[in-house]
Amino acid sequence: MAYTIAFFGTKPYDEASFNNKNKEFGFELRYYKGHLNKNNVLLTQGVDAVCIFVNDVADAEVIRIMAANGVKLIALRCAGFNNVDLNAAAINNITVVRVPAYSPYAVAEYTVALMLSLNRKIPRATWRTKDGNFSLHGLMGFDMHGKTAGIIGTGKIAKILIHILKGFGMNILAYDLYPDHNFAREEQIVYTSLDELYHSSDIISLHCPLTEQTKYLINDYSISKMKNGVMIINTGRGQLIHTNALIEGLKNKKIGSAGLDVYEEESEYFYEDQSDRIIDDDVLARLLSFNNVIVTSHQAFFTKEAMENIAMTTLQNIKDFINHKPLLNEVKK
């Protein structure tokens, strides 16, 4: 009997990528559109593993029921695991694995796309020309060459981003709790303090993990230290930015523009078609009202290559678990 995996929160593109890669594995895949929660966890009856994404809920209650149903493995098809109660998983003898990286190039390139779109006001220009307005008034940008980009967090994605921005001729200031000095020498970048980075950067891009120390890293106080007209980009985690502080900075012109692929309350909206309903999140609605803000639906990762990597890594994680091999991507408390 084939090893059975229940997928929750799936979209057509998930099914396509996993079905294609599963030709190499031969698992039985069951797809459910709804996000995993206490109301539909009964669907895990008779399955060996459960595969979930960022908006699925695997809290203590759900995990207890899954364990009673015979589930032995939770396979996250994403890097983050804050939606899984790891203590409950350990108590119920459920192993948790994840996909630590999809395609760092995808996110780095998307980050640059946000920078260019905001700087050269490409969305506004597109709306105008579709309406027959070919005026250049209000569309002036700036040369990125010679400007300073402040990069907070210098993991794989940020290093690729830095390499791209160096190609534009930008100066790079970086901050990381664990600086990679060899990389800094190779790329001729400077590690500095957060205060100096805030003070000197024309563009600030966030690439650090979300921890208790980094939550709301961008707040009223840090924004007050920044250059007037600074551009802020976040393709990392929504709660790195205190959204009300960002809005206040946009209103008083301290922040010149913002590109957000993540939002701190995104789980209620992102990945779903909300076009037939009113957005009742006043903060999100306010953000969407600014013509110098781009908000996208956590899509920076979303490339063909990244989806292939997610499917392959997830299915390989499951195969390694079945075969009692070392789990390189296991998540423990």
Side-chain angles (χ1 to χ4, degrees), residues 4-50:
T4 305
I5 309 163
F7 287 73
F8 287 87
T10 58
K11 303 295 183 186
Y13 46 79
D14 294 309
E15 294 189 32
S17 59
F18 275 95
N19 285 340
N20 183 51
K21 290 298 179 184
N22 192 47
K23 294 172 184 177
E24 304 173 32
F25 294 87
F27 298 133
E28 180 183 334
L29 310 183
R30 299 179 184 176
Y31 297 108
Y32 301 105
K33 293 180 181 180
H35 298 304
L36 177 66
N37 57 61
K38 65 181 180 181
N39 297 318
N40 62 9
V41 67
L42 59 86
L43 295 172
T44 65
Q45 291 178 353
V47 305
D48 302 291
V50 168

Side-chain angles (χ1 to χ4, degrees), residues 213-255:
Q213 289 70 39
T214 61
K215 184 176 180 180
Y216 296 148
L217 181 71
I218 304 302
N219 53 51
D220 288 323
Y221 184 61
S222 56
I223 290 171
S224 71
K225 300 178 182 180
M226 297 177 189
K227 276 188 175 182
N228 292 333
V230 65
M231 178 191 296
I232 296 178
I233 305 290
N234 189 8
T235 53
R237 291 289 181 266
Q239 288 188 326
L240 295 174
I241 294 179
H242 193 292
T243 311
N244 283 322
L246 177 71
I247 288 172
E248 191 59 36
L250 288 161
K251 285 169 56 182
N252 63 30
K253 310 297 191 295
K254 183 71 174 181
I255 298 172

Side-chain angles (χ1 to χ4, degrees), residues 61-76:
E61 182 181 2
V62 168
I63 286 173
R64 178 182 56 78
I65 298 171
M66 285 198 296
N69 288 342
V71 174
K72 298 297 183 184
L73 179 69
I74 295 174
L76 290 149

